[in-house]
Amino acid sequence: MPESPEAAGRLLGRVAVVTGASRGLGRAVAARFAAEGAHCVLLARTVGALEELDDEIRKAGGTRPTLVPMDLLDAAKTDQLGAALHDRFGRLDVLAGCAGALGNLSPLGHIGPKVWEETLSLNLGANYRLLRSLDPLLRRSGSGRAVFATCQVGRGSAYWALQSASKAALEAMVLSYAQEVAKFAVTANLVSPGPLRTGLRATAFPGEDPETVPLPESVTDCFVELASRDDDRNGQIVSP
């Protein structure tokens, strides 16, 4: 876990929601946020993986997180998240949207409607619902920060239509939201981390040697910076 004496505690006391926290980039961001002093609210479908991350965070001396096992495709639960966090914390300082799906890498005409709709529902629709539900809490923070993971691999390339469409739409939505909330001391940005050693990457590039691809932990500095109180960048797509 990358950390330096200068970086330690940059998120001290901040309440941060992290989606996709059970594996890959989301797990790395969650562990780093906790090490930086944030109280993390960790969202993922897999209970066991969340509990393992909880153990890892506590052993490393990080702030003990709140575990929220849920499927982001469950619209009703996502819509209720804001009220639940308001009752417990009264505000939200950081939303880190790291959950995402690859969908099918295939000719557009071969992608079934169910796969198309589910991938768009997770990569775009779930993040819309999160912003809609959590926006009032981010405004109450005084320094609310929304940070979303995007991916520009294959953008506009053959067989990448579904991934490309969902991420391009996510970027347009977040950049529009950034303009809406700028006057409320809230910022919204995206991180395009490049190739990372994740399960999603392995599915997309099955012949690739994973040892040649950076670990997700290598890009967490960028997420910490964008989540901190003193970083005022807004409406940007940032590459580490």
Side-chain angles (χ1 to χ4, degrees):
M1 182 184 306
E3 185 175 356
S4 66
E6 295 82 7
R10 282 187 289 179
L11 303 182
L12 186 63
R14 287 172 73 71
V15 179
V17 166
V18 182
T19 71
S22 62
R23 59 176 61 88
L25 178 62
R27 183 185 180 95
V29 169
R32 181 65 187 279
F33 277 13
E36 294 284 355
H39 181 104
C40 292
V41 180
L42 305 182
L43 276 59
R45 290 178 298 176
T46 310
V47 176
L50 284 176
E51 291 174 342
E52 290 175 2
L53 178 56
D54 181 20
D55 291 340
E56 176 186 319
I57 287 172
R58 285 188 288 162
K59 286 179 182 177
T63 303
R64 184 172 187 176
T66 297
L67 308 183
V68 183
M70 64 176 284
D71 186 343
L72 288 175
L73 294 180
D74 187 331
K77 288 186 178 179
T78 305
D79 290 345
Q80 295 165 5
L81 184 62
L85 293 177
H86 178 271
D87 290 344
R88 177 157 184 182
F89 301 107
R91 73 181 201 281
L92 179 66
D93 302 302
V94 183
L95 167 59
C98 299
L102 179 64
N104 283 356
L105 298 182
S106 70
L108 180 61
H110 295 179
I111 301 173
K114 182 178 180 181
V115 173
W116 183 272
E117 291 166 6
E118 286 185 351
T119 304
L120 284 173
S121 292
L122 180 58
N123 292 355
L124 178 64
N127 287 317
Y128 147 71
R129 287 186 175 276
L130 283 168
L131 280 176
R132 180 174 178 269
S133 181
L134 302 179
D135 170 64
L137 298 182
L138 289 169
R139 297 187 190 212
R140 289 174 65 93
S141 165
S143 56
R145 303 288 182 258
V147 188
F148 293 88
T150 187
C151 173
Q152 297 184 329
V153 173
R155 186 63 56 84
S157 299
Y159 314 121
W160 285 81
L162 178 49
Q163 177 72 186
S164 294
S166 66
K167 291 300 186 178
L170 172 66
E171 290 170 11
M173 181 184 71
V174 173
L175 297 181
S176 297
Y177 175 71
Q179 294 185 37
E180 297 172 4
V181 297
K183 63 183 179 182
F184 299 105
V186 176
T187 67
N189 296 284
L190 301 111
V191 176
S192 182
L196 294 175
R197 196 185 309 174
T198 65
L200 190 150
R201 174 83 184 183
T203 300
F205 299 94
E208 184 176 65
D209 180 359
E211 295 298 322
T212 65
V213 184
L215 290 167
E217 287 79 3
S218 66
V219 300
T220 56
D221 271 340
C222 189
F223 283 86
V224 171
E225 291 166 3
L226 291 171
S228 65
R229 295 177 180 87
D230 57 357
D231 193 303
D232 61 0
R233 284 175 287 181
N234 190 36
Q236 296 187 27
I237 300 176
V238 180
S239 296

